[in-house]
């Protein structure tokens, strides 16, 4: 441990991996912001806390099970010359879940459904929010940790980077969630991002990799345009 603390290479790996984990966690931040936007403020805060605690737990658990995790990338069946592993199946399922969830939310926004007439008990709705967070945390954690394994060789560095990244993303998720809840057009944009991310996950599962840089650039560009739109509306 002392060698790691005094090694410039270890610090460089930690900073690089932390930055990468934060970028990969943008998906998580967007999903959590959208999923809690319909909840009361106290429930939204509690859901975010549970969501990021689970995200951190899943990531550390996966890091502790490296041998099992590597086994998830081994092919289990082949279709027309294309081999599929458990990782591919999880990515495809998670991508389809994201696409379905985002499409459902877009439909609800367009139809302007009145949440006050929802007969679902509050505790059941909150439980359903937590279930959705667990499902998507598992998918994003798997993708994030497989990337971390390729970036660093020391388990302590990977765990430290994941903890730091999750803490930073937790601090930023509150303001992002409030902003999304207060601006309907921003929420629609976030839902469109989720569809885009879901398509990328499904494509990855089918061995067609879409460079994440393209996706993050599209998200950053659209977010910047929306920021200026919000600013213009406020000034008017």
């Amino acid at each position: 441990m002392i060698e790691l603390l005094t090694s410039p290479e270890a610090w460089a790996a930690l900073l690089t991996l932390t930055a990468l984990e934060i970028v990969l966690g943008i998906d998580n931040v967007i999903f959590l912001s959208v999923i809690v936007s319909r909840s009361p403020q106290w429930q939204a805060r509690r859901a975010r806390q549970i969501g990021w605690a689970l995200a951190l737990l899943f990531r550390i658990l996966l890091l502790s099970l490296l041998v099992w995790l590597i086994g998830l990338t081994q092919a289990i069946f082949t279709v027309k010359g294309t081999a599929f592993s458990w990782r591919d199946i999880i990515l495809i399922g998670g991508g389809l879940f994201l696409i379905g969830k985002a499409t459902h939310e877009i439909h609800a926004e367009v139809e302007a459904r009145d949440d006050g007439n929802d007969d679902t008990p509050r505790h059941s709705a909150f439980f359903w929010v937590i279930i959705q967070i667990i499902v998507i945390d598992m998918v994003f954690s798997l993708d994030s940790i497989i990337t971390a394994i390729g970036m660093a060789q020391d388990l302590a560095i990977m765990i430290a980077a994941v903890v730091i990244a999750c803490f930073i993303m937790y601090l930023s998720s509150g303001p992002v969630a409030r902003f999304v809840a207060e601006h309907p057009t921003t929420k629609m944009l976030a839902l469109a991002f989720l569809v885009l991310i879901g398509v990328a996950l499904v494509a990855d599962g089918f061995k067609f990799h879409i460079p994440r840089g393209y996706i993050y650039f599209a998200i950053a560009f659209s977010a910047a345009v929306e920021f200026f739109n919000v600013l213009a509306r406020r000034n008017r």
Side-chain angles (χ1 to χ4, degrees), residues 67 69-77 83-88:
V67 176
L69 186 62
I70 292 172
L72 288 181
T73 62
Q74 297 175 353
I76 56 175
F77 65 90
F84 291 91
S85 65
W86 281 113
R87 173 182 178 270
D88 299 326

Side-chain angles (χ1 to χ4, degrees), residues 151-230:
M151 288 289 297
Q153 300 299 322
D154 195 281
L155 182 60
I157 293 176
M158 289 188 279
I159 292 178
V162 166
V163 171
I164 294 171
C166 282
F167 180 72
I168 292 174
M169 289 185 292
Y170 169 72
L171 293 179
S172 65
S173 64
V176 171
R178 286 192 295 271
F179 188 82
V180 168
E182 293 170 2
H183 300 86
T185 57
T186 304
K187 182 177 181 180
M188 191 65 72
L189 186 63
L191 291 170
F193 291 160
L194 290 181
V195 173
L196 182 62
I197 294 166
V199 170
L201 290 176
V202 172
D204 275 348
F206 282 104
K207 311 296 185 183
F208 183 81
H209 180 67
I210 301 174
R212 287 296 189 269
Y214 295 155
I215 296 175
Y216 294 140
F217 174 78
I219 291 175
F221 180 80
S222 302
V225 172
E226 178 62 19
F227 171 77
F228 287 116
N229 283 335
V230 170

